[in-house]
Amino acid sequence: MDRARTGGAIALAGAAAIAVVVGLASSAQAATTLGASAADKGRYFGTAVAAYKLSDATYSGILDREFNMITPENEMKWDATEPTQGQFSYGSADQIVAHANAHGQRMRGHALAWYSQQPGWAQNMSGTALRNAMVNHITNVAGHYKGKIYAWDVVNEAFADGGGGGRRDSNLQRTGNDWIEVAFRTARAADPGAKLCYNDYNTDGINAKSTAVYTMVQDFKARGVPIDCVGFQSHINSGSPLTSDYQANLQRFADLGVDVQITELDIAYSGTQQANAYASVTKACLAVARCTGITVWGIRDSDSWRSSDNPLLFDNNGNKKAAYTSTLDALNAGGTTSPPPVSTSPSRSASPSPSTSPSGPGGGQGCTATTSVNQWQGGFVVTVRVTAGSAAINAWTVGLTLPTGATVTGTWNVTRSGNSWSNVSYNGHVNAGQYTEFGIQGTGTAGTLSPTCAGS
Ligand code: G3I
């Protein structure tokens, strides 16, 4: 035998052996399910679930093998949870939560306030009555699931399609432009531990609609409206295709100081194009440190709300599709950076010993406090703005007495001691001339308020 050829053959065999060893080594490390692989990257991989399908063994088998986050597809919506005003119905949603608890899965709540899937009685309401009903609904539903929800879609699909960049018209929108922030504040008061998300579709690239949402989130962060995350539904199809700025769009929201999540992913392409698109979305999430997870909107193609498009990761029989493999491969190959801890606010260990300062406009080195009241029949939200004077302050206390008959049911961004309302760890420092805000929610009438402010 020709020595050169023999040597070459040995070298090739050696290279092949090394390749096999490397292959074995990496496959030994690679996770074999979507949930486990996402968890390795500090993230989750979830799916929408319908309660009535949990008894289907194929469905539940895939669910419990592959997914570690669950979104009820319809069971937590307003029409399902409050079919008659003031009478709450949690049977199907509780069934899903119980399943998740039993299988170590976390829950995304969907959705507290939405123009669609309202019960008939709410569809027929307007103005103050509808605003009160929304607040009562959020208080009850988020309260019922307090401590059990990782993230709530507090408000769903509130922006209009097209190039206008404005709000979608709806009965909720017509109660006043502040309905979204009232919904978020109400949800925070009801379940302070849940991440609170705004969720929408056709916001998956940089466009007029996503920029309108971006501007709202920017404003909420500046004014202290409690928002923690933005959900990008990502119902991808030829009319709403995956665009090259998908990752950049996620990143610009993350840069505002919120988590981002892919919340309802399905892709109405087929074959390799579908597999590639799933991989691209997965890689984009992994590349954005604050992208905390991906949820697909159903398990098998036959479970999809648009099943004729075959847009999911498993076929009608529950077999893995090419899109499944490309998604798992992208997860396994993805970056190793985990999302950072929840809080982005600088934490301070100031021990406030506030000195009283003038409370009028431009109040020297202290601070001023002003209030704005959103009052409805039987309830209110007071937003208190604390503005630093000509020097920065590191701690503040607002004196604020509510009238007799007003009862505080929730607060945010503040710690209370009777009629004294003081900063929490992350909002004591306010630069000269800048402001921070906190909120008080209550029943009864807030009346005319005369706050004082002491800063140090
Ligand atoms: O349960 C009833 C059944 O009893 C009745 O016989 C049947 C007759 O139509 O309707 C069944 O309810 C349907 C329900 O899905 C459960 O299958 C509703 O009609 C139908 O409207 C509802 O559709 C849901 C849709 O939201 C409603 O807007 C889809 O399942 C759900 O996947 C879809 O999810 C939305 C997200 O919440 C928000 N983003 C978009 C996404 C896709 O549209």
Side-chain angles (χ1 to χ4, degrees):
M1 186 182 278
D2 180 317
R3 285 177 62 91
R5 288 184 63 174
T6 307
I10 290 169
L12 277 175
I18 290 167
V20 168
V21 169
V22 169
L24 283 175
S26 62
S27 65
Q29 290 167 353
T32 55
T33 66
L34 301 169
S37 187
D40 283 348
K41 305 296 182 302
R43 291 168 171 82
Y44 64 81
F45 208 98
T47 180
V49 160
Y52 74 89
K53 292 178 184 165
L54 288 172
S55 55
D56 173 338
T58 305
Y59 183 85
S60 294
I62 300 170
L63 169 62
D64 299 336
R65 187 186 73 220
E66 298 287 344
F67 299 99
N68 51 19
M69 184 72 75
I70 291 178
T71 306
E73 188 172 0
N74 289 296
E75 292 78 351
M76 286 188 180
K77 292 172 180 175
W78 199 347
D79 60 350
T81 50
E82 196 181 0
T84 303
Q85 187 171 16
Q87 293 182 20
F88 292 86
S89 161
Y90 296 117
S92 299
D94 283 355
Q95 195 188 338
I96 296 177
V97 174
H99 184 100
N101 285 340
H103 296 86
Q105 292 142 331
R106 290 185 292 165
M107 294 292 307
R108 291 194 83 263
H110 173 83
L112 291 171
W114 187 21
Y115 77 89
S116 182
Q117 277 182 284
Q118 295 179 2
W121 61 265
Q123 291 174 28
N124 294 326
M125 273 186 175
S126 62
T128 302
L130 178 60
R131 175 65 66 87
N132 287 345
M134 179 193 82
V135 168
N136 189 55
H137 178 75
I138 293 171
T139 300
N140 275 277
V141 177
H144 178 78
Y145 290 110
K146 183 177 180 179
K148 296 177 178 170
I149 303 291
Y150 160 73
W152 265 112
D153 290 332
V154 177
V155 170
N156 195 39
E157 301 174 5
F159 281 81
D161 290 311
R167 296 279 184 89
R168 173 194 296 278
D169 179 49
S170 72
N171 57 351
L172 288 167
Q173 180 61 31
R174 276 176 252 128
T175 66
N177 210 49
D178 63 343
W179 74 277
I180 298 182
E181 60 194 83
V182 169
F184 275 85
R185 287 177 164 144
T186 305
R188 177 67 97 228
D191 185 358
K195 288 178 186 254
L196 305 182
C197 300
Y198 176 79
N199 190 50
D200 215 328
Y201 67 90
N202 281 355
T203 50
D204 312 308
I206 297 176
N207 57 43
K209 186 173 177 181
S210 64
T211 298
V213 177
Y214 178 90
T215 303
M216 178 189 74
V217 175
Q218 197 173 37
D219 170 56
F220 279 13
K221 296 298 283 185
R223 291 190 296 113
V225 178
I227 185 167
D228 307 307
C229 39
V230 176
F232 299 84
Q233 293 184 10
S234 303
H235 293 294
I236 308 293
N237 57 67
S238 55
S240 180
L242 186 62
T243 53
S244 57
D245 54 9
Y246 187 88
Q247 181 182 320
N249 190 48
L250 297 179
Q251 187 64 59
R252 71 170 175 155
F253 277 86
D255 290 344
L256 291 177
V258 288
D259 289 348
V260 294
Q261 302 167 358
I262 316 303
T263 52
E264 303 181 15
L265 180 62
D266 52 21
I267 302 181
Y269 304 159
S270 56
T272 304
Q273 192 190 13
Q274 182 182 58
N276 289 343
Y278 266 104
S280 296
V281 168
T282 304
K283 285 176 190 163
C285 180
L286 290 174
V288 175
R290 290 197 72 144
C291 183
T292 58
I294 299 173
T295 294
V296 288
W297 206 239
I299 296 178
R300 299 161 299 197
D301 284 333
S302 51
D303 298 316
S304 172
W305 65 295
R306 46 179 188 177
S307 56
S308 60
D309 288 331
N310 297 320
L312 295 172
L313 300 177
F314 296 87
D315 70 16
N316 294 354
N317 297 317
N319 298 313
K320 296 170 181 173
K321 295 167 55 180
Y324 171 93
T325 306
S326 68
T327 302
L328 182 60
D329 288 350
L331 284 169
N332 282 334
T336 52
T337 45
S338 296
V342 178
S343 173
T344 53
S345 305
S347 147
R348 286 164 202 289
S349 54
S351 48
S353 54
S355 61
T356 305
S357 301
S359 189
Q365 292 195 341
C367 53
T368 57
T370 54
T371 55
S372 62
V373 179
N374 178 25
Q375 179 75 54
W376 59 89
Q377 195 176 7
F380 61 83
V381 167
V382 179
T383 303
V384 184
R385 177 175 292 195
V386 175
T387 305
S390 56
I393 53 174
N394 289 310
W396 47 262
T397 296
V398 169
L400 181 66
T401 305
L402 291 162
T404 307
T407 303
V408 174
T409 55
T411 63
W412 52 93
N413 296 342
V414 74
T415 177
R416 180 190 185 189
S417 173
N419 295 323
S420 290
W421 310 78
S422 300
N423 63 276
V424 287
S425 61
Y426 55 82
N427 64 0
H429 182 85
V430 185
N431 284 331
Q434 301 296 302
Y435 66 85
T436 187
E437 292 185 332
F438 68 90
I440 306 167
Q441 185 180 12
T443 56
T445 303
T448 304
L449 301 168
S450 305
T452 61
C453 195
S456 61

